[in-house]
Amino acid sequence: MVGRTSSFAFRGSNEDLRAIARKLGVDYLLEGSVRREGDRLRVTAQLVRADDGIHLWSRTYARELRDVFAVQEEISRDVARALSVKLDVAEFNRDQGGTTSVEAYERYLRWRGIGMRELFDFGHDRERLQLAREMVALDPRCVLCWDALAGSLVAMAQELGDARGGELRAEARRVRAHIARIAPDTWVAKRDRANALWREGRRAEAIALAKEVVDSGPLTRERVWDYAYMLYAVGHLDETIALVEQVRAVEPMALFLSRDLQYDYTAARRYQEAEAEYRRGQQLEGSQVEPDCVAFFRQLAGQRPGGLEELRELHGRLLRNGQDFDTPFFRELGGVLGRREAMLALVRRVVDGSVGDAGNSAYLAINVADALGDADLAMAALRRYLEAQEGFDEGAVSHYPYVALWNAPYSGLRAHPDFRKLLVEAGVVAYWRQTGRWGDGCAPVGAGDFQCR
């Protein structure tokens, strides 16, 4: 069953049913219309076989607006009977942390749709924060609405920076604590506990609990993503890919999922698959900044066609469209593209602190040095980036910055002696030894050593 973000991409489309079915990867299509007259709804639905367009079933539902969720479940049951299958129709009910408020539900769908289209600029982050505040005001019992608010507060805090974002981060912490109080047994609260366990250095417990969350319900981006990031953080790249591919099968038109798969394939050195997904993702609605970023570094590493001209085109698009790339380092990089030593000299200036910052510029510098084959310099930039993360020295960093460990596949960085030291400091090796599950391309050597390739 394909998710709403993907199916609604074809709303109002006159495209051939067979073509739509191919893009969604389905054999049957449910189409129809919704009319609202005051407090009354009239829903017409019909089930169509995609290969020949034959109508298998149809029905009209007339209900009061307050019964919209009941209508959803009734339609799902009727369709399931027509297909002789069982469908999970409880994705957003109260037991799953959802709402019974039509207005809150409508805002949640808008909030989610913005993220699935990979729209994370200041304006859209501000819009999502406003939608989340409206959701919880409309339905204070909606756990997913509170979860959306916490995530939106953190995103806006990142936009504003440390000086102005502190108050929003404090509010996000209060929202997380509120969720733990009002809904301690929900999957949202369990996922938050898994994240807390990770920051406490209890990696194996965190991953096990995050997996419970994934296994306990439908494969949605919200349920899966923290678990996927944890797997990725400890180097289980192919396992991450398999999981994200399952979520993509539910939402094939979501650019957010395509973007993450492009990173995942590249980290696993599956460059042809990364390129194929990049090409597919270019047809999807939303921001192409992050996909262009992954493609830019593949281009710089010589893993894409097009040469220097394509490299300059990608650089220009990133500078025009992505605020995170509007830094002194990346702007100056554009003037020396194609000149390896000049590009590496810029990376050295980031590493020694004379240009850019230890955050985004350092992250970009890792990838430039790696794509150009300089493992020593990539390693120095990687250490600078991770040591700048709050809580790194105490082992209390969240799993998200750890993606930098694996997003540099070109230079042989993973075989670098200092990379092994960094994995030990980050607690990754302790997790491997505790569980016996080593990262992809890594394995123990004797009783006390290990190697990665």
Side-chain angles (χ1 to χ4, degrees):
M1 187 167 60
V2 172
R4 179 187 185 277
T5 299
S6 294
S7 58
F8 268 52
F10 298 97
R11 180 174 51 185
S13 171
N14 293 320
E15 193 168 349
D16 179 74
L17 290 178
R18 284 183 286 266
I20 294 174
R22 277 196 305 273
K23 291 177 180 179
L24 294 176
V26 297
D27 296 320
Y28 302 91
L29 294 169
L30 182 67
E31 60 178 0
S33 63
V34 180
R35 292 177 58 189
R36 178 176 176 178
E37 297 177 355
D39 292 331
R40 299 286 296 176
L41 281 177
R42 185 177 179 85
V43 181
T44 300
Q46 54 189 7
L47 184 66
V48 181
R49 193 160 59 201
D51 59 356
D52 55 16
I54 290 179
H55 287 65
L56 301 177
W57 163 91
S58 65
R59 185 176 171 187
T60 297
Y61 304 80
R63 300 286 190 277
E64 292 187 10
L65 181 61
R66 65 187 180 187
D67 296 328
V68 62
F69 297 105
V71 173
Q72 284 183 344
E73 294 197 13
E74 189 175 353
I75 293 173
S76 297
R77 286 194 299 269
D78 289 346
V79 171
R81 278 195 291 267
L83 294 174
S84 298
V85 298
K86 180 180 180 181
L87 299 179
D88 183 355
V89 298
E91 182 176 316
F92 204 77
N93 66 19
R94 188 68 85 184
D95 290 341
Q96 295 291 335
T99 182
T100 57
S101 164
V102 174
E103 291 82 4
Y105 182 54
E106 183 271 337
R107 284 163 175 78
Y108 183 84
L109 292 177
R110 285 165 55 194
W111 178 91
R112 189 175 191 268
I114 292 169
M116 295 297 264
R117 296 196 306 276
E118 188 64 19
L119 300 173
F120 297 115
D121 55 89
F122 181 84
H124 283 100
D125 282 343
R126 182 171 56 186
E127 181 181 354
R128 276 162 52 96
L129 179 56
Q130 180 60 35
L131 287 168
R133 291 198 186 281
E134 291 174 7
M135 285 180 230
V136 298
L138 287 163
D139 184 358
R141 294 176 58 203
C142 175
V143 178
L144 282 181
C145 299
W146 285 106
D147 184 48
L149 177 58
S152 298
L153 287 165
V154 170
M156 183 54 68
Q158 290 172 339
E159 295 280 6
L160 295 175
D162 291 338
R164 294 187 293 166
E167 185 176 337
L168 295 180
R169 290 189 181 88
E171 184 181 354
R173 289 192 292 271
R174 292 194 295 272
V175 170
R176 292 286 175 212
H178 178 70
I179 292 172
R181 285 194 303 273
I182 68 169
D185 298 325
T186 61
W187 69 263
V188 176
K190 289 180 180 178
R191 185 209 56 205
D192 287 351
R193 287 201 293 275
N195 291 339
L197 287 169
W198 177 280
R199 291 190 297 272
E200 293 168 11
R202 298 157 67 179
R203 309 284 193 253
E205 294 173 73
I207 291 175
L209 184 55
K211 186 177 187 301
E212 284 183 27
V213 170
V214 172
D215 292 342
S216 66
L219 284 176
T220 64
R221 179 257 182 195
E222 289 74 22
R223 278 183 179 271
V224 165
W225 235 243
D226 284 273
Y227 177 54
Y229 264 95
M230 289 180 189
L231 289 176
Y232 195 95
V234 296
H236 297 314
L237 308 180
D238 287 334
E239 190 175 349
T240 303
I241 288 170
L243 180 61
V244 178
E245 285 177 338
Q246 290 182 64
V247 185
R248 181 187 59 178
V250 178
E251 291 281 15
M253 307 302 290
L255 183 57
F256 179 93
L257 306 178
S258 175
R259 181 281 308 262
D260 264 33
L261 271 176
Q262 291 169 48
Y263 275 107
D264 299 343
Y265 287 137
T266 301
R269 302 187 177 112
R270 294 160 59 172
Y271 303 128
Q272 290 184 343
E273 291 171 86
E275 182 65 20
E277 185 60 31
Y278 175 61
R279 296 299 179 189
R280 189 188 79 86
Q282 286 184 312
Q283 309 306 312
L284 305 180
E285 181 185 357
S287 169
Q288 296 289 341
V289 170
E290 288 294 327
D292 280 348
C293 175
V294 191
F296 174 81
F297 290 116
R298 278 204 314 280
Q299 190 80 38
L300 191 61
Q303 293 292 337
R304 298 186 73 240
L308 184 58
E309 182 178 353
E310 175 72 2
L311 188 68
R312 286 174 174 154
E313 171 62 24
L314 286 166
H315 180 274
R317 290 212 300 265
L318 289 171
L319 207 54
R320 289 192 302 273
N321 301 326
Q323 60 187 19
D324 289 340
F325 296 88
D326 189 15
T327 66
F329 167 71
F330 200 72
R331 287 196 299 271
E332 290 184 45
L333 185 70
V336 295
L337 290 176
R339 295 160 51 194
R340 182 176 186 274
E341 290 307 314
M343 289 187 282
L344 291 175
L346 274 177
V347 174
R348 292 187 187 95
R349 290 173 60 195
V350 172
V351 172
D352 67 22
S354 59
V355 64
D357 56 74
N360 197 52
S361 290
Y363 180 80
L364 295 173
I366 300 166
N367 290 276
V368 171
D370 175 64
L372 294 174
D374 193 323
D376 289 336
L377 196 52
M379 183 62 234
L382 176 60
R383 178 169 286 282
R384 178 171 175 79
Y385 171 75
L386 286 178
E387 287 181 345
Q389 304 302 313
E390 183 180 357
F392 179 79
D393 291 339
E394 298 80 28
V397 177
S398 78
H399 41 289
Y400 301 116
Y402 280 28
V403 301
L405 292 167
W406 310 103
N407 281 352
Y410 305 109
S411 65
L413 171 66
R414 296 172 197 171
H416 198 286
D418 287 343
F419 183 77
R420 297 203 302 275
K421 293 178 183 177
L422 195 57
L423 289 176
V424 173
E425 294 173 41
V428 174
V429 177
Y431 167 81
W432 290 345
R433 294 196 182 281
Q434 180 182 353
T435 63
R437 298 182 65 235
W438 289 75
D440 296 353
C442 301
V445 176
D449 201 3
F450 70 97
Q451 62 183 11
C452 295
R453 58 175 174 76

